[in-house]
Amino acid sequence: MRITKFDKKPIGIFDSGVGGLSVWRELIKLMPGQEFIYIADNAFCPYGPRPKEEVIERSSRITEFLIEQGAAIVVVACNTATSAAISTLRSRFFIPFVGMEPAVKPAASFSKSGVIGVLATKGTLSGDLYNNTLERYASNVEVIEMAGVGLVQQVEEGKLEDPLTETLLNKYIKPMVEAGADHIVLGCTHYPFLSKLIHKIAGEGVTIIDPAPAVARHTLSLASELGIFNTGESGFNTTFYSTGGVEVLKSLAKSISSEIPDSLFRNLNI
Ligand code: DGL
């Protein structure tokens, strides 16, 4: 029997904006027949500078909407929301959540120079999740942390290679390289969209780590365990919602999968 996309429950994904598309991109590679619902909370983006309570309330409201739409798993495709809200989400809702892990462990274990860089939002760098991960896995390396102030806004405006983006990245990446970092962890889901410039500034000897492929693998194994993994064929199985404008969401999503119909991009007022 051929399985269609309606046979299995959808997976919800959310971020403060378009950054979570870097996770969605990996998810559709592994699960091309799965139905996804993507929420970009553009009306409240960026989350980084917001109080933790506000990020928890936005994350809860979005989760309620995703569950109303039938989502059986929610991927919190935002490091800042994972750090601020995932434990509250797990206590409020009875579905599994997949969060973003700061990829400090692989960076620290593969580093030859003994120096790694971490680029993330202020909210992530000051959160318990990141600091506990550092304590557990990075005690043997020097960690150069940089808060990527302004980068989320540049990605949200679609300015992936603009001069200001390059200036900001120079400011954040150069000190890491100068300190001898041979691995740089991207601790915000918006940043993989800047990887071309990041590679250019960091140079060839530096490995850039995007945790999205590992998060996608984890989601796939959870979906298989729950019996909601749709092994059907590829299609346009994602509906995209934005609480703000859909334009950048549309152009970035179409740069990943060009044939998505416009009708799948919708405004959401929650
Ligand atoms: N993509 C979000 C993250 O991974 C962006 C944070 C923000 O909105 O400030 O942290």
Side-chain angles (χ1 to χ4, degrees):
M1 189 187 77
R2 188 171 174 276
I3 297 169
T4 72
K5 66 178 179 175
F6 300 109
D7 290 335
K8 300 284 180 179
K9 287 193 158 217
I11 294 176
I13 308 168
F14 79 89
D15 177 43
S16 61
V18 298
L21 292 178
S22 64
V23 180
W24 170 76
R25 168 170 72 183
E26 300 304 324
L27 285 165
I28 58 170
K29 280 185 205 160
L30 294 184
M31 311 168 80
Q34 191 73 34
E35 186 182 353
F36 294 101
I37 304 164
Y38 184 97
I39 316 273
D41 196 14
N42 292 109
F44 291 82
C45 186
Y47 280 175
R50 289 185 187 275
K52 187 174 169 179
E53 293 67 34
E54 195 178 4
V55 177
I56 292 174
E57 285 325 304
R58 289 310 298 159
S59 302
S60 297
R61 183 67 200 96
I62 290 166
T63 300
E64 270 164 19
F65 175 78
L66 287 168
I67 293 173
E68 280 159 24
Q69 303 306 303
I73 295 175
V74 170
V75 180
V76 185
C78 174
N79 295 71
T80 311
T82 300
S83 175
I86 204 162
S87 53
T88 309
L89 294 175
R90 286 185 172 131
S91 67
R92 282 187 186 169
F93 301 97
F94 297 104
I95 59 160
F97 290 86
V98 179
M100 300 304 298
E101 290 285 332
V104 164
K105 187 182 173 187
S109 59
F110 293 124
S111 175
K112 291 204 168 65
S113 66
V115 184
I116 66 169
V118 177
L119 185 63
T121 67
K122 272 190 188 153
T124 296
L125 293 174
S126 61
D128 291 344
L129 177 65
Y130 170 70
N131 285 292
N132 293 341
T133 309
L134 271 193
E135 234 171 76
R136 280 185 73 182
Y137 300 112
S139 53
N140 296 335
V141 292
E142 185 187 346
V143 183
I144 314 292
E145 293 170 356
M146 286 284 169
V149 179
L151 293 176
V152 167
Q153 288 89 333
Q154 290 298 102
V155 176
E156 286 295 327
E157 288 171 26
K159 297 175 178 164
L160 307 185
E161 289 177 56
D162 152 286
L164 175 60
T165 310
E166 186 157 4
T167 304
L168 291 172
L169 284 171
N170 266 312
K171 190 165 124 195
Y172 306 140
I173 301 295
K174 276 209 169 132
M176 297 179 184
V177 179
E178 280 161 14
D182 60 356
H183 286 72
I184 294 177
V185 176
L186 302 185
C188 168
T189 54
H190 281 73
Y191 301 164
F193 292 112
L194 305 174
S195 59
K196 199 169 159 193
L197 272 180
I198 295 174
H199 276 291
K200 184 178 134 188
I201 296 165
E204 277 185 5
V206 179
T207 305
I208 311 297
I209 305 189
D210 170 9
V215 170
R217 286 195 296 276
H218 178 50
T219 308
L220 167 61
S221 74
L222 188 59
S224 305
E225 235 173 76
L226 293 177
I228 66 143
F229 174 36
N230 194 334
T231 54
E233 289 155 27
S234 162
F236 305 112
N237 296 348
T238 304
T239 310
F240 299 88
Y241 294 91
S242 169
T243 59
V246 294
E247 286 319 308
V248 175
L249 183 62
K250 197 189 281 182
S251 78
L252 206 51
K254 285 189 178 205
S255 74
I256 295 166
S257 181
S258 59
E259 290 161 74
I260 311 170
D262 282 356
S263 59
L264 292 181
F265 295 90
R266 300 175 188 167
N267 286 105
L268 179 66
N269 193 4
I270 57 170

